[in-house]
Amino acid sequence: MASGLDTPMLDSVFKSRPDILNDIHKAADTPSRVQLFNKIASFIYEQIGDQQSGSSLKRRRVDIEPSQNGNASNATTTATIEDVASENILLEIKDISVSIPQRKKFELCFTPKHLYALAPGSTTPASGIVYAWKDVEYAFYLPVPEKAQVQHNYVLFPRNSFALSKSGVPIEDPLVFTVSAGAPKPGSIGGPNAGAASAVSDSYSTLFHWALNKCLQAAGNNVQIVTADPAKFHSKVRQPHRPKEPAVHVKGFRGSKDGYLFFLENGILWGFKKPLLFIPLDKIAAISYTSILQRTFNMVVEVFTGENGDDEATDEVEFAMLDQEDYGGINEDYVTRHRLQDRSMADQRKAKMELAENAKGKKKADGEGGEANGHAGEDGMTELEKAQMEAEQQLQDDEDEDEEDYDPGSEGESEGSGTSSEEDDDDDDAAEDEEMDEDDDAGEGD
């Protein structure tokens, strides 16, 4: 019965999916099925046009631009969605939860030149989720924080997917997708390489590590998948969901958005909400600490941006509300081990310190958090203790100046001003809390 099929039409429509063509020929065993398959092929042909004869369909382009994160590539190549879709699919893995660029379940398709996402039932790569193997700059495999069940995120950063300067705007999203600790479901792996993949499918991690490494190497890209090693860095804060397992992340804020810092062997990663950021070690000019309070502190990373061709141009990225318990691990296990310059007491940092809060926090620091401040220097004081002592001394000097300039007639105005300031602070805190709640709700809803 298969002889009644419109073979040229089917070949044109499904030329990138020989497996589907084979299934159609096997299933076309009745006149009604032959007629149905021909109708489906005709409908798809009308929608996408005959690519071999040159369709008038306006093509959506996937432009692969030179890198702005490092050295620019020597040439710019351009591929179209149709070009990518026409490549032979080597491997496809179904039911994968993608969170960036889009939060949705997709099939991930591996071709000789590209990795792309395919919506269930679709034959066209999802818009904005097409990545050339040769353009992947960094790859990571990191645990998803604060989950009762063990899950990991794969993160692929192509060129132009993050900006080190505040004025820079990423023109492409990284790819972030989540896998469980278990094995893939039966029937979820397809494509010509499905047989080889089954030998490494004891878990999602072994499957994806194998597939990603094979495709990257075949494309001449020597990028390695970096994982977090708790032996090199782990948080001192216990995880409430899995208290016996050391956390390899540090919770904090970047602006009003909460997220997680990962201190990795090749740099610092901030995730997992947009915009993701990765700061390679060779782009870090200095790491310093500000707003040192009793329980938290801020970390400022000065990065080389290379803006306007100036290799010495720098910008600062600040991560706030880090737990004091993690100061020792960050400063000793990471900053010192990687010989990153520490400028905590530089003059430009002093102006950022919250002097009043430092003075209040110092009174209880010895009893509650003294051991979390890291190792002491030659004078028996840690960097945080030095900062707090200097802040307290500065506060005392300011109070002495205020006493000399004291004007009894200004007391009422001073009290009124203080009240207004507190109200403004409360309003700001409420606005930030509301924004964070909205982010969390959006994540849970998906």
Side-chain angles (χ1 to χ4, degrees), residues 60-134:
R60 290 151 54 191
R61 306 183 70 82
V62 180
D63 296 326
I64 305 169
E65 301 291 345
S67 171
Q68 295 178 353
N69 303 328
N71 296 328
S73 58
N74 294 328
T76 298
T77 59
T78 302
T80 65
I81 289 291
E82 287 77 13
D83 291 337
V84 174
S86 67
E87 296 176 12
N88 292 327
I89 295 178
L90 305 176
L91 181 70
E92 58 181 343
I93 306 174
K94 301 177 181 178
D95 297 325
I96 299 301
S97 297
V98 175
S99 55
I100 295 178
Q102 300 178 33
R103 187 176 291 274
K104 187 177 179 180
K105 279 199 172 184
F106 288 99
E107 298 178 12
L108 291 185
C109 299
F110 295 71
T111 77
K113 294 182 179 179
H114 293 87
L115 170 67
Y116 65 85
L118 198 66
S122 174
T123 58
T124 303
S127 177
I129 318 183
V130 179
Y131 302 91
W133 293 116
K134 65 184 181 64

Side-chain angles (χ1 to χ4, degrees), residues 166 285-292 298-303 314-318 341-355 358 387 390-391:
K166 295 176 182 176
I287 290 181
S288 57
Y289 311 103
T290 66
S291 300
I292 304 168
N298 292 3
M299 182 181 74
V300 178
V301 183
E302 184 180 357
V303 297
T314 62
D315 210 338
E316 292 183 346
V317 182
E318 185 170 17
Q341 187 178 2
D342 181 358
R343 301 178 183 171
S344 292
M345 299 311 298
D347 290 339
Q348 63 187 26
R349 306 296 181 206
K350 295 179 184 178
K352 288 188 173 183
M353 290 189 175
E354 302 290 341
L355 300 179
N358 288 342
E390 184 161 339

Side-chain angles (χ1 to χ4, degrees), residues 127-411:
S127 177
I129 318 183
V130 179
Y131 302 91
W133 293 116
K134 65 184 181 64
D135 290 326
V136 175
E137 280 193 306
Y138 301 101
F140 302 97
Y141 174 73
L142 302 171
V144 180
E146 301 182 356
K147 295 288 185 181
Q149 300 297 322
V150 177
Q151 295 179 333
H152 284 78
N153 278 338
Y154 279 93
V155 184
L156 301 184
F157 280 100
R159 295 183 175 94
N160 308 320
S161 60
F162 63 92
L164 294 178
S165 66
K166 295 176 182 176
S167 59
V169 178
I171 63 174
E172 190 171 3
D173 283 319
L175 173 65
V176 181
F177 61 91
T178 306
V179 297
S180 67
K185 298 177 181 178
S188 63
I189 303 174
N193 286 351
S198 63
V200 292
S201 296
D202 294 337
S203 67
Y204 274 110
S205 62
T206 56
L207 171 62
F208 273 106
H209 270 61
W210 172 79
L212 292 171
N213 284 328
K214 285 288 185 183
C215 290
L216 287 168
Q217 292 170 7
N221 191 336
N222 61 357
V223 168
Q224 300 295 314
I225 301 174
V226 175
T227 62
D229 185 354
K232 294 182 178 179
F233 177 86
H234 65 272
S235 173
K236 301 300 188 295
V237 180
R238 295 181 63 188
Q239 298 189 87
H241 297 86
R242 299 195 299 273
K244 295 183 179 180
E245 180 182 325
V248 293
H249 65 273
V250 172
K251 190 171 183 178
F253 286 83
R254 186 182 177 198
S256 61
K257 288 189 176 182
D258 63 331
Y260 308 96
L261 284 167
F262 292 86
F263 294 88
L264 306 170
E265 62 184 47
N266 60 342
I268 301 173
L269 186 143
W270 169 257
F272 290 103
K273 296 178 181 177
K274 291 185 179 182
L276 266 68
L277 177 65
F278 178 66
I279 308 175
L281 282 178
D282 59 1
K283 295 295 183 181
I284 298 177
I287 290 181
S288 57
Y289 311 103
T290 66
S291 300
I292 304 168
L293 308 180
Q294 179 183 352
R295 299 186 182 277
T296 64
F297 67 98
N298 292 3
M299 182 181 74
V300 178
V301 183
E302 184 180 357
V303 297
F304 293 109
T305 62
E307 284 187 305
N308 302 320
D310 183 2
D311 292 338
E312 297 300 318
T314 62
D315 210 338
E316 292 183 346
V317 182
E318 185 170 17
F319 303 99
M321 301 293 290
L322 310 185
D323 198 296
Q324 276 278 12
E325 291 187 45
D326 285 317
Y327 171 79
I330 294 173
N331 193 53
E332 299 297 330
D333 297 342
Y334 197 80
V335 174
T336 301
R337 177 162 58 88
H338 289 287
R339 299 180 180 180
L340 302 175
Q341 187 178 2
D342 181 358
R343 301 178 183 171
S344 292
M345 299 311 298
D347 290 339
Q348 63 187 26
R349 306 296 181 206
K350 295 179 184 178
K352 288 188 173 183
M353 290 189 175
E354 302 290 341
L355 300 179
E357 292 295 333
N358 288 342
K360 295 177 183 177
K362 185 68 173 68
K363 294 178 182 179
K364 297 182 180 179
D366 293 339
E368 297 185 6
E371 294 180 0
N373 291 339
H375 298 292
E378 294 179 359
D379 56 1
M381 300 179 65
T382 66
E383 290 293 327
L384 289 180
E385 288 172 342
K386 291 177 184 178
Q388 290 171 340
M389 176 174 284
E390 184 161 339
E392 192 174 45
Q393 182 60 47
Q394 182 64 46
L395 182 63
Q396 184 63 46
D397 292 343
D398 292 343
E399 289 177 350
D400 292 343
E401 292 180 5
D402 291 341
E403 289 177 0
E404 293 176 1
D405 300 333
Y406 176 63
D407 180 2
S410 63
E411 183 176 356

Side-chain angles (χ1 to χ4, degrees), residues 416-432:
S417 175
T419 301
S420 176
S421 175
E422 291 174 2
E423 291 175 353
D424 291 343
D425 290 344
D426 291 340
D427 291 341
D428 292 342
D429 292 342
E432 289 189 4

